Amino acid sequence: KMADFVAAGGVKGKRRAEKAEAKQAKGSGSKKAKKEARAASGQPKRPPSGYFLYLSENREVFEKEAGSKSPPVISKVAGKTWKAMSDAQKKPFE
């Protein structure tokens, strides 16, 4: 069947190549280029979540509690306390 198609003037793999080209054109550029384009567009960033507001306000407390300034260590301690908080306690940050 493929030999008949090619003999009639068809091009093998044409659709696959066209799809790949379209995909490449759609997602053109690297991650860095996309990030720079987004920054240059002037579009505002998303506001921080309640957890991040809570974390930034209480970072010093968590540093003392964890005994480290390492972000992963601090966020683990903060995450545990955030999960333990009730909705009423979280309300001011959301």
mmCIF file of all heavy atoms in Angstrom, residues 38-91:
data_model
loop_
_atom_site.group_PDB
_atom_site.id
_atom_site.type_symbol
_atom_site.label_atom_id
_atom_site.label_comp_id
_atom_site.label_asym_id
_atom_site.label_seq_id
_atom_site.Cartn_x
_atom_site.Cartn_y
_atom_site.Cartn_z
ATOM 1 N N ARG A 38 7.270 36.682 29.373
ATOM 2 C CA ARG A 38 6.188 36.905 30.338
ATOM 3 C C ARG A 38 6.515 38.101 31.226
ATOM 4 O O ARG A 38 5.652 38.930 31.524
ATOM 5 C CB ARG A 38 5.987 35.654 31.197
ATOM 6 C CG ARG A 38 4.702 35.680 31.981
ATOM 7 C CD ARG A 38 4.455 34.429 32.794
ATOM 8 N NE ARG A 38 4.605 33.211 32.018
ATOM 9 C CZ ARG A 38 5.307 32.149 32.426
ATOM 10 N NH1 ARG A 38 5.897 32.146 33.581
ATOM 11 N NH2 ARG A 38 5.403 31.081 31.664
ATOM 12 N N ALA A 39 7.778 38.220 31.641
ATOM 13 C CA ALA A 39 8.192 39.345 32.485
ATOM 14 C C ALA A 39 8.118 40.656 31.707
ATOM 15 O O ALA A 39 7.733 41.692 32.257
ATOM 16 C CB ALA A 39 9.605 39.114 33.003
ATOM 17 N N ALA A 40 8.473 40.614 30.435
ATOM 18 C CA ALA A 40 8.481 41.824 29.617
ATOM 19 C C ALA A 40 7.072 42.263 29.211
ATOM 20 O O ALA A 40 6.873 43.419 28.830
ATOM 21 C CB ALA A 40 9.320 41.594 28.370
ATOM 22 N N SER A 41 6.101 41.366 29.305
ATOM 23 C CA SER A 41 4.740 41.694 28.871
ATOM 24 C C SER A 41 4.066 42.713 29.792
ATOM 25 O O SER A 41 3.092 43.337 29.401
ATOM 26 C CB SER A 41 3.880 40.433 28.807
ATOM 27 O OG SER A 41 3.576 39.972 30.106
ATOM 28 N N GLY A 42 4.571 42.857 31.004
ATOM 29 C CA GLY A 42 3.986 43.822 31.934
ATOM 30 C C GLY A 42 2.786 43.270 32.673
ATOM 31 O O GLY A 42 2.165 43.973 33.470
ATOM 32 N N GLN A 43 2.442 42.022 32.416
ATOM 33 C CA GLN A 43 1.303 41.403 33.099
ATOM 34 C C GLN A 43 1.683 41.163 34.562
ATOM 35 O O GLN A 43 2.766 40.666 34.848
ATOM 36 C CB GLN A 43 0.969 40.074 32.419
ATOM 37 C CG GLN A 43 -0.255 39.395 32.976
ATOM 38 C CD GLN A 43 -0.573 38.112 32.215
ATOM 39 O OE1 GLN A 43 0.193 37.685 31.367
ATOM 40 N NE2 GLN A 43 -1.683 37.523 32.533
ATOM 41 N N PRO A 44 0.808 41.516 35.499
ATOM 42 C CA PRO A 44 1.157 41.338 36.908
ATOM 43 C C PRO A 44 1.240 39.867 37.291
ATOM 44 O O PRO A 44 0.580 39.012 36.704
ATOM 45 C CB PRO A 44 0.014 42.026 37.655
ATOM 46 C CG PRO A 44 -1.113 42.061 36.697
ATOM 47 C CD PRO A 44 -0.504 42.101 35.322
ATOM 48 N N LYS A 45 2.069 39.597 38.301
ATOM 49 C CA LYS A 45 2.199 38.237 38.804
ATOM 50 C C LYS A 45 0.976 37.897 39.636
ATOM 51 O O LYS A 45 0.253 38.783 40.088
ATOM 52 C CB LYS A 45 3.436 38.106 39.697
ATOM 53 C CG LYS A 45 4.741 38.228 38.952
ATOM 54 C CD LYS A 45 5.880 38.014 39.911
ATOM 55 C CE LYS A 45 7.218 38.074 39.219
ATOM 56 N NZ LYS A 45 8.317 37.857 40.155
ATOM 57 N N ARG A 46 0.790 36.604 39.856
ATOM 58 C CA ARG A 46 -0.298 36.165 40.726
ATOM 59 C C ARG A 46 0.005 36.587 42.155
ATOM 60 O O ARG A 46 1.159 36.575 42.571
ATOM 61 C CB ARG A 46 -0.374 34.633 40.705
ATOM 62 C CG ARG A 46 -1.604 34.115 40.042
ATOM 63 C CD ARG A 46 -1.806 32.678 40.355
ATOM 64 N NE ARG A 46 -0.802 31.852 39.705
ATOM 65 C CZ ARG A 46 -0.725 30.556 39.847
ATOM 66 N NH1 ARG A 46 -1.560 29.926 40.623
ATOM 67 N NH2 ARG A 46 0.190 29.855 39.229
ATOM 68 N N PRO A 47 -1.004 36.951 42.936
ATOM 69 C CA PRO A 47 -0.739 37.316 44.323
ATOM 70 C C PRO A 47 -0.308 36.084 45.116
ATOM 71 O O PRO A 47 -0.698 34.964 44.788
ATOM 72 C CB PRO A 47 -2.088 37.845 44.825
ATOM 73 C CG PRO A 47 -3.093 37.255 43.914
ATOM 74 C CD PRO A 47 -2.420 37.075 42.593
ATOM 75 N N PRO A 48 0.491 36.272 46.174
ATOM 76 C CA PRO A 48 0.933 35.120 46.968
ATOM 77 C C PRO A 48 -0.246 34.473 47.700
ATOM 78 O O PRO A 48 -1.201 35.145 48.085
ATOM 79 C CB PRO A 48 1.935 35.717 47.949
ATOM 80 C CG PRO A 48 1.645 37.166 47.979
ATOM 81 C CD PRO A 48 1.043 37.514 46.655
ATOM 82 N N SER A 49 -0.136 33.176 47.908
ATOM 83 C CA SER A 49 -1.193 32.450 48.612
ATOM 84 C C SER A 49 -1.142 32.778 50.098
ATOM 85 O O SER A 49 -0.162 33.355 50.591
ATOM 86 C CB SER A 49 -1.024 30.949 48.410
ATOM 87 O OG SER A 49 0.141 30.505 49.079
ATOM 88 N N GLY A 50 -2.167 32.379 50.807
ATOM 89 C CA GLY A 50 -2.227 32.610 52.246
ATOM 90 C C GLY A 50 -1.055 31.979 52.971
ATOM 91 O O GLY A 50 -0.488 32.564 53.897
ATOM 92 N N TYR A 51 -0.670 30.795 52.532
ATOM 93 C CA TYR A 51 0.460 30.100 53.168
ATOM 94 C C TYR A 51 1.738 30.918 53.028
ATOM 95 O O TYR A 51 2.497 31.060 53.989
ATOM 96 C CB TYR A 51 0.644 28.710 52.553
ATOM 97 C CG TYR A 51 1.935 28.050 52.958
ATOM 98 C CD1 TYR A 51 2.096 27.534 54.243
ATOM 99 C CD2 TYR A 51 3.007 27.971 52.080
ATOM 100 C CE1 TYR A 51 3.289 26.947 54.628
ATOM 101 C CE2 TYR A 51 4.192 27.384 52.460
ATOM 102 C CZ TYR A 51 4.336 26.873 53.735
ATOM 103 O OH TYR A 51 5.517 26.286 54.126
ATOM 104 N N PHE A 52 2.004 31.463 51.845
ATOM 105 C CA PHE A 52 3.231 32.229 51.650
ATOM 106 C C PHE A 52 3.215 33.544 52.433
ATOM 107 O O PHE A 52 4.259 34.000 52.906
ATOM 108 C CB PHE A 52 3.494 32.476 50.162
ATOM 109 C CG PHE A 52 4.078 31.262 49.487
ATOM 110 C CD1 PHE A 52 3.294 30.474 48.675
ATOM 111 C CD2 PHE A 52 5.385 30.900 49.698
ATOM 112 C CE1 PHE A 52 3.816 29.347 48.076
ATOM 113 C CE2 PHE A 52 5.929 29.781 49.106
ATOM 114 C CZ PHE A 52 5.142 28.990 48.287
ATOM 115 N N LEU A 53 2.052 34.155 52.577
ATOM 116 C CA LEU A 53 1.953 35.353 53.412
ATOM 117 C C LEU A 53 2.259 35.003 54.870
ATOM 118 O O LEU A 53 2.998 35.711 55.557
ATOM 119 C CB LEU A 53 0.559 35.976 53.297
ATOM 120 C CG LEU A 53 0.205 36.570 51.939
ATOM 121 C CD1 LEU A 53 -1.264 36.963 51.905
ATOM 122 C CD2 LEU A 53 1.082 37.766 51.634
ATOM 123 N N TYR A 54 1.692 33.888 55.321
ATOM 124 C CA TYR A 54 1.929 33.400 56.680
ATOM 125 C C TYR A 54 3.407 33.093 56.886
ATOM 126 O O TYR A 54 4.004 33.479 57.894
ATOM 127 C CB TYR A 54 1.075 32.150 56.911
ATOM 128 C CG TYR A 54 1.368 31.380 58.175
ATOM 129 C CD1 TYR A 54 1.000 31.884 59.421
ATOM 130 C CD2 TYR A 54 1.996 30.144 58.129
ATOM 131 C CE1 TYR A 54 1.254 31.171 60.582
ATOM 132 C CE2 TYR A 54 2.247 29.429 59.280
ATOM 133 C CZ TYR A 54 1.887 29.945 60.504
ATOM 134 O OH TYR A 54 2.136 29.246 61.645
ATOM 135 N N LEU A 55 4.008 32.429 55.916
ATOM 136 C CA LEU A 55 5.419 32.055 56.007
ATOM 137 C C LEU A 55 6.311 33.289 56.072
ATOM 138 O O LEU A 55 7.225 33.360 56.900
ATOM 139 C CB LEU A 55 5.802 31.192 54.807
ATOM 140 C CG LEU A 55 7.248 30.737 54.709
ATOM 141 C CD1 LEU A 55 7.621 29.868 55.904
ATOM 142 C CD2 LEU A 55 7.467 29.950 53.430
ATOM 143 N N SER A 56 6.039 34.291 55.232
ATOM 144 C CA SER A 56 6.881 35.485 55.227
ATOM 145 C C SER A 56 6.756 36.280 56.528
ATOM 146 O O SER A 56 7.733 36.848 57.009
ATOM 147 C CB SER A 56 6.558 36.369 54.028
ATOM 148 O OG SER A 56 5.240 36.835 54.098
ATOM 149 N N GLU A 57 5.552 36.301 57.106
ATOM 150 C CA GLU A 57 5.354 37.020 58.368
ATOM 151 C C GLU A 57 6.049 36.333 59.537
ATOM 152 O O GLU A 57 6.497 36.986 60.468
ATOM 153 C CB GLU A 57 3.856 37.131 58.691
ATOM 154 C CG GLU A 57 3.251 38.429 58.273
ATOM 155 C CD GLU A 57 1.836 38.597 58.769
ATOM 156 O OE1 GLU A 57 1.511 38.155 59.890
ATOM 157 O OE2 GLU A 57 1.042 39.182 58.016
ATOM 158 N N ASN A 58 6.088 35.007 59.507
ATOM 159 C CA ASN A 58 6.596 34.245 60.647
ATOM 160 C C ASN A 58 7.918 33.531 60.390
ATOM 161 O O ASN A 58 8.288 32.630 61.131
ATOM 162 C CB ASN A 58 5.535 33.206 61.065
ATOM 163 C CG ASN A 58 4.253 33.872 61.479
ATOM 164 O OD1 ASN A 58 4.203 34.597 62.453
ATOM 165 N ND2 ASN A 58 3.196 33.636 60.719
ATOM 166 N N ARG A 59 8.649 33.941 59.371
ATOM 167 C CA ARG A 59 9.895 33.263 59.001
ATOM 168 C C ARG A 59 10.908 33.223 60.148
ATOM 169 O O ARG A 59 11.534 32.201 60.407
ATOM 170 C CB ARG A 59 10.522 33.912 57.779
ATOM 171 C CG ARG A 59 11.775 33.206 57.299
ATOM 172 C CD ARG A 59 12.247 33.728 55.972
ATOM 173 N NE ARG A 59 11.377 33.384 54.876
ATOM 174 C CZ ARG A 59 11.384 32.206 54.241
ATOM 175 N NH1 ARG A 59 12.207 31.270 54.633
ATOM 176 N NH2 ARG A 59 10.573 31.980 53.240
ATOM 177 N N GLU A 60 11.065 34.324 60.859
ATOM 178 C CA GLU A 60 12.050 34.376 61.955
ATOM 179 C C GLU A 60 11.706 33.375 63.048
ATOM 180 O O GLU A 60 12.590 32.725 63.603
ATOM 181 C CB GLU A 60 12.137 35.788 62.515
ATOM 182 C CG GLU A 60 12.762 36.780 61.543
ATOM 183 C CD GLU A 60 12.769 38.200 62.071
ATOM 184 O OE1 GLU A 60 12.412 38.408 63.253
ATOM 185 O OE2 GLU A 60 13.135 39.093 61.295
ATOM 186 N N VAL A 61 10.418 33.234 63.350
ATOM 187 C CA VAL A 61 9.975 32.279 64.372
ATOM 188 C C VAL A 61 10.327 30.863 63.936
ATOM 189 O O VAL A 61 10.826 30.058 64.731
ATOM 190 C CB VAL A 61 8.449 32.402 64.605
ATOM 191 C CG1 VAL A 61 7.955 31.336 65.548
ATOM 192 C CG2 VAL A 61 8.101 33.787 65.108
ATOM 193 N N PHE A 62 10.086 30.567 62.659
ATOM 194 C CA PHE A 62 10.369 29.227 62.147
ATOM 195 C C PHE A 62 11.864 28.954 62.078
ATOM 196 O O PHE A 62 12.301 27.828 62.277
ATOM 197 C CB PHE A 62 9.718 29.007 60.782
ATOM 198 C CG PHE A 62 8.220 29.048 60.837
ATOM 199 C CD1 PHE A 62 7.510 29.843 59.951
ATOM 200 C CD2 PHE A 62 7.514 28.314 61.771
ATOM 201 C CE1 PHE A 62 6.129 29.885 59.993
ATOM 202 C CE2 PHE A 62 6.138 28.362 61.826
ATOM 203 C CZ PHE A 62 5.447 29.137 60.937
ATOM 204 N N GLU A 63 12.667 29.984 61.803
ATOM 205 C CA GLU A 63 14.126 29.823 61.787
ATOM 206 C C GLU A 63 14.621 29.430 63.167
ATOM 207 O O GLU A 63 15.459 28.538 63.307
ATOM 208 C CB GLU A 63 14.811 31.108 61.340
ATOM 209 C CG GLU A 63 14.700 31.376 59.854
ATOM 210 C CD GLU A 63 15.314 32.705 59.443
ATOM 211 O OE1 GLU A 63 15.877 33.424 60.294
ATOM 212 O OE2 GLU A 63 15.212 33.032 58.243
ATOM 213 N N LYS A 64 14.096 30.089 64.195
ATOM 214 C CA LYS A 64 14.486 29.756 65.571
ATOM 215 C C LYS A 64 14.026 28.356 65.941
ATOM 216 O O LYS A 64 14.755 27.594 66.565
ATOM 217 C CB LYS A 64 13.905 30.780 66.552
ATOM 218 C CG LYS A 64 14.556 32.135 66.463
ATOM 219 C CD LYS A 64 13.916 33.129 67.398
ATOM 220 C CE LYS A 64 14.492 34.518 67.199
ATOM 221 N NZ LYS A 64 13.773 35.528 67.979
ATOM 222 N N GLU A 65 12.789 28.025 65.576
ATOM 223 C CA GLU A 65 12.216 26.724 65.904
ATOM 224 C C GLU A 65 12.975 25.592 65.205
ATOM 225 O O GLU A 65 13.236 24.555 65.801
ATOM 226 C CB GLU A 65 10.743 26.688 65.491
ATOM 227 C CG GLU A 65 9.983 25.501 66.011
ATOM 228 C CD GLU A 65 8.509 25.571 65.658
ATOM 229 O OE1 GLU A 65 7.935 26.686 65.620
ATOM 230 O OE2 GLU A 65 7.932 24.500 65.411
ATOM 231 N N ALA A 66 13.345 25.818 63.945
ATOM 232 C CA ALA A 66 14.027 24.785 63.172
ATOM 233 C C ALA A 66 15.523 24.750 63.476
ATOM 234 O O ALA A 66 16.175 23.731 63.264
ATOM 235 C CB ALA A 66 13.818 25.028 61.687
ATOM 236 N N GLY A 67 16.055 25.868 63.954
ATOM 237 C CA GLY A 67 17.482 25.953 64.222
ATOM 238 C C GLY A 67 18.302 26.028 62.943
ATOM 239 O O GLY A 67 19.465 25.642 62.922
ATOM 240 N N SER A 68 17.679 26.498 61.880
ATOM 241 C CA SER A 68 18.348 26.570 60.584
ATOM 242 C C SER A 68 17.702 27.665 59.745
ATOM 243 O O SER A 68 16.537 27.992 59.937
ATOM 244 C CB SER A 68 18.217 25.222 59.870
ATOM 245 O OG SER A 68 18.689 25.313 58.559
ATOM 246 N N LYS A 69 18.486 28.200 58.816
ATOM 247 C CA LYS A 69 17.937 29.194 57.887
ATOM 248 C C LYS A 69 17.683 28.570 56.522
ATOM 249 O O LYS A 69 17.339 29.261 55.577
ATOM 250 C CB LYS A 69 18.893 30.375 57.748
ATOM 251 C CG LYS A 69 18.933 31.253 58.975
ATOM 252 C CD LYS A 69 19.662 32.529 58.701
ATOM 253 C CE LYS A 69 19.541 33.431 59.917
ATOM 254 N NZ LYS A 69 19.909 34.793 59.628
ATOM 255 N N SER A 70 17.837 27.271 56.428
ATOM 256 C CA SER A 70 17.650 26.554 55.167
ATOM 257 C C SER A 70 16.170 26.559 54.771
ATOM 258 O O SER A 70 15.315 26.131 55.546
ATOM 259 C CB SER A 70 18.141 25.124 55.329
ATOM 260 O OG SER A 70 17.805 24.348 54.209
ATOM 261 N N PRO A 71 15.844 27.059 53.574
ATOM 262 C CA PRO A 71 14.434 27.133 53.149
ATOM 263 C C PRO A 71 13.654 25.811 53.235
ATOM 264 O O PRO A 71 12.512 25.819 53.689
ATOM 265 C CB PRO A 71 14.515 27.644 51.716
ATOM 266 C CG PRO A 71 15.778 28.429 51.684
ATOM 267 C CD PRO A 71 16.726 27.694 52.587
ATOM 268 N N PRO A 72 14.241 24.666 52.821
ATOM 269 C CA PRO A 72 13.458 23.432 52.928
ATOM 270 C C PRO A 72 13.105 23.067 54.372
ATOM 271 O O PRO A 72 11.998 22.606 54.653
ATOM 272 C CB PRO A 72 14.363 22.363 52.316
ATOM 273 C CG PRO A 72 15.347 23.087 51.494
ATOM 274 C CD PRO A 72 15.503 24.436 52.111
ATOM 275 N N VAL A 73 14.033 23.308 55.283
ATOM 276 C CA VAL A 73 13.799 22.992 56.697
ATOM 277 C C VAL A 73 12.716 23.907 57.264
ATOM 278 O O VAL A 73 11.783 23.454 57.940
ATOM 279 C CB VAL A 73 15.114 23.129 57.510
ATOM 280 C CG1 VAL A 73 14.864 22.929 58.983
ATOM 281 C CG2 VAL A 73 16.159 22.140 57.003
ATOM 282 N N ILE A 74 12.820 25.197 56.957
ATOM 283 C CA ILE A 74 11.842 26.182 57.444
ATOM 284 C C ILE A 74 10.451 25.877 56.887
ATOM 285 O O ILE A 74 9.456 25.904 57.609
ATOM 286 C CB ILE A 74 12.272 27.614 57.060
ATOM 287 C CG1 ILE A 74 13.542 27.992 57.824
ATOM 288 C CG2 ILE A 74 11.174 28.610 57.341
ATOM 289 C CD1 ILE A 74 14.186 29.256 57.353
ATOM 290 N N SER A 75 10.373 25.551 55.598
ATOM 291 C CA SER A 75 9.058 25.304 55.005
ATOM 292 C C SER A 75 8.416 24.035 55.542
ATOM 293 O O SER A 75 7.191 23.948 55.627
ATOM 294 C CB SER A 75 9.147 25.270 53.484
ATOM 295 O OG SER A 75 10.013 24.251 53.065
ATOM 296 N N LYS A 76 9.210 23.052 55.939
ATOM 297 C CA LYS A 76 8.634 21.844 56.548
ATOM 298 C C LYS A 76 7.996 22.181 57.890
ATOM 299 O O LYS A 76 6.883 21.745 58.188
ATOM 300 C CB LYS A 76 9.698 20.759 56.724
ATOM 301 C CG LYS A 76 9.997 20.016 55.460
ATOM 302 C CD LYS A 76 10.927 18.866 55.697
ATOM 303 C CE LYS A 76 11.213 18.163 54.385
ATOM 304 N NZ LYS A 76 12.066 16.989 54.561
ATOM 305 N N VAL A 77 8.698 22.965 58.693
ATOM 306 C CA VAL A 77 8.165 23.363 60.001
ATOM 307 C C VAL A 77 6.919 24.228 59.808
ATOM 308 O O VAL A 77 5.892 24.018 60.464
ATOM 309 C CB VAL A 77 9.236 24.130 60.818
ATOM 310 C CG1 VAL A 77 8.656 24.705 62.087
ATOM 311 C CG2 VAL A 77 10.409 23.214 61.130
ATOM 312 N N ALA A 78 6.990 25.173 58.883
ATOM 313 C CA ALA A 78 5.863 26.071 58.624
ATOM 314 C C ALA A 78 4.668 25.296 58.075
ATOM 315 O O ALA A 78 3.525 25.562 58.445
ATOM 316 C CB ALA A 78 6.274 27.164 57.646
ATOM 317 N N GLY A 79 4.919 24.335 57.212
ATOM 318 C CA GLY A 79 3.848 23.527 56.636
ATOM 319 C C GLY A 79 3.103 22.731 57.694
ATOM 320 O O GLY A 79 1.869 22.625 57.654
ATOM 321 N N LYS A 80 3.836 22.187 58.646
ATOM 322 C CA LYS A 80 3.200 21.428 59.730
ATOM 323 C C LYS A 80 2.294 22.325 60.561
ATOM 324 O O LYS A 80 1.168 21.961 60.892
ATOM 325 C CB LYS A 80 4.261 20.781 60.627
ATOM 326 C CG LYS A 80 4.931 19.591 59.993
ATOM 327 C CD LYS A 80 5.968 18.997 60.919
ATOM 328 C CE LYS A 80 6.704 17.853 60.241
ATOM 329 N NZ LYS A 80 7.782 17.301 61.073
ATOM 330 N N THR A 81 2.779 23.522 60.879
ATOM 331 C CA THR A 81 1.960 24.430 61.692
ATOM 332 C C THR A 81 0.763 24.952 60.883
ATOM 333 O O THR A 81 -0.323 25.106 61.434
ATOM 334 C CB THR A 81 2.783 25.614 62.236
ATOM 335 O OG1 THR A 81 3.381 26.306 61.149
ATOM 336 C CG2 THR A 81 3.856 25.151 63.194
ATOM 337 N N TRP A 82 0.967 25.198 59.573
ATOM 338 C CA TRP A 82 -0.122 25.677 58.720
ATOM 339 C C TRP A 82 -1.232 24.640 58.638
ATOM 340 O O TRP A 82 -2.411 24.975 58.715
ATOM 341 C CB TRP A 82 0.417 26.014 57.334
ATOM 342 C CG TRP A 82 -0.609 26.524 56.365
ATOM 343 C CD1 TRP A 82 -1.176 25.819 55.353
ATOM 344 C CD2 TRP A 82 -1.201 27.823 56.325
ATOM 345 N NE1 TRP A 82 -2.065 26.608 54.674
ATOM 346 C CE2 TRP A 82 -2.112 27.840 55.245
ATOM 347 C CE3 TRP A 82 -1.051 28.979 57.086
ATOM 348 C CZ2 TRP A 82 -2.854 28.969 54.912
ATOM 349 C CZ3 TRP A 82 -1.790 30.088 56.737
ATOM 350 C CH2 TRP A 82 -2.681 30.089 55.683
ATOM 351 N N LYS A 83 -0.855 23.376 58.487
ATOM 352 C CA LYS A 83 -1.854 22.309 58.405
ATOM 353 C C LYS A 83 -2.617 22.158 59.712
ATOM 354 O O LYS A 83 -3.803 21.815 59.714
ATOM 355 C CB LYS A 83 -1.191 20.979 58.055
ATOM 356 C CG LYS A 83 -0.839 20.853 56.606
ATOM 357 C CD LYS A 83 -0.269 19.488 56.308
ATOM 358 C CE LYS A 83 0.086 19.351 54.842
ATOM 359 N NZ LYS A 83 0.666 18.031 54.537
ATOM 360 N N ALA A 84 -1.942 22.411 60.822
ATOM 361 C CA ALA A 84 -2.575 22.264 62.133
ATOM 362 C C ALA A 84 -3.511 23.425 62.470
ATOM 363 O O ALA A 84 -4.356 23.300 63.358
ATOM 364 C CB ALA A 84 -1.505 22.136 63.218
ATOM 365 N N MET A 85 -3.379 24.533 61.750
ATOM 366 C CA MET A 85 -4.211 25.708 62.036
ATOM 367 C C MET A 85 -5.646 25.491 61.559
ATOM 368 O O MET A 85 -5.891 24.812 60.572
ATOM 369 C CB MET A 85 -3.632 26.946 61.327
ATOM 370 C CG MET A 85 -2.337 27.430 61.908
ATOM 371 S SD MET A 85 -1.538 28.702 60.918
ATOM 372 C CE MET A 85 -2.671 30.055 61.069
ATOM 373 N N SER A 86 -6.577 26.113 62.267
ATOM 374 C CA SER A 86 -7.985 26.043 61.858
ATOM 375 C C SER A 86 -8.236 27.075 60.751
ATOM 376 O O SER A 86 -7.430 27.965 60.530
ATOM 377 C CB SER A 86 -8.886 26.326 63.063
ATOM 378 O OG SER A 86 -8.762 27.685 63.447
ATOM 379 N N ASP A 87 -9.385 26.952 60.112
ATOM 380 C CA ASP A 87 -9.749 27.904 59.050
ATOM 381 C C ASP A 87 -9.848 29.331 59.593
ATOM 382 O O ASP A 87 -9.508 30.296 58.913
ATOM 383 C CB ASP A 87 -11.061 27.511 58.391
ATOM 384 C CG ASP A 87 -10.901 26.289 57.493
ATOM 385 O OD1 ASP A 87 -9.754 25.972 57.120
ATOM 386 O OD2 ASP A 87 -11.939 25.656 57.172
ATOM 387 N N ALA A 88 -10.320 29.449 60.836
ATOM 388 C CA ALA A 88 -10.446 30.782 61.448
ATOM 389 C C ALA A 88 -9.072 31.429 61.648
ATOM 390 O O ALA A 88 -8.917 32.639 61.487
ATOM 391 C CB ALA A 88 -11.166 30.672 62.777
ATOM 392 N N GLN A 89 -8.087 30.603 62.000
ATOM 393 C CA GLN A 89 -6.726 31.133 62.196
ATOM 394 C C GLN A 89 -6.084 31.506 60.865
ATOM 395 O O GLN A 89 -5.264 32.425 60.793
ATOM 396 C CB GLN A 89 -5.852 30.106 62.916
ATOM 397 C CG GLN A 89 -6.243 29.883 64.367
ATOM 398 C CD GLN A 89 -5.486 28.708 64.968
ATOM 399 O OE1 GLN A 89 -5.364 27.666 64.357
ATOM 400 N NE2 GLN A 89 -4.994 28.905 66.193
ATOM 401 N N LYS A 90 -6.444 30.791 59.804
ATOM 402 C CA LYS A 90 -5.868 31.049 58.479
ATOM 403 C C LYS A 90 -6.527 32.254 57.807
ATOM 404 O O LYS A 90 -5.931 32.842 56.891
ATOM 405 C CB LYS A 90 -6.047 29.824 57.578
ATOM 406 C CG LYS A 90 -5.225 28.629 57.985
ATOM 407 C CD LYS A 90 -5.505 27.475 57.043
ATOM 408 C CE LYS A 90 -4.784 26.216 57.453
ATOM 409 N NZ LYS A 90 -5.067 25.100 56.544
ATOM 410 N N LYS A 91 -7.703 32.613 58.227
ATOM 411 C CA LYS A 91 -8.513 33.652 57.577
ATOM 412 C C LYS A 91 -7.757 34.964 57.332
ATOM 413 O O LYS A 91 -7.862 35.532 56.247
ATOM 414 C CB LYS A 91 -9.783 33.904 58.413
ATOM 415 C CG LYS A 91 -10.790 34.783 57.742
ATOM 416 C CD LYS A 91 -11.523 34.040 56.668
ATOM 417 C CE LYS A 91 -12.640 34.909 56.123
ATOM 418 N NZ LYS A 91 -13.157 34.386 54.886
#
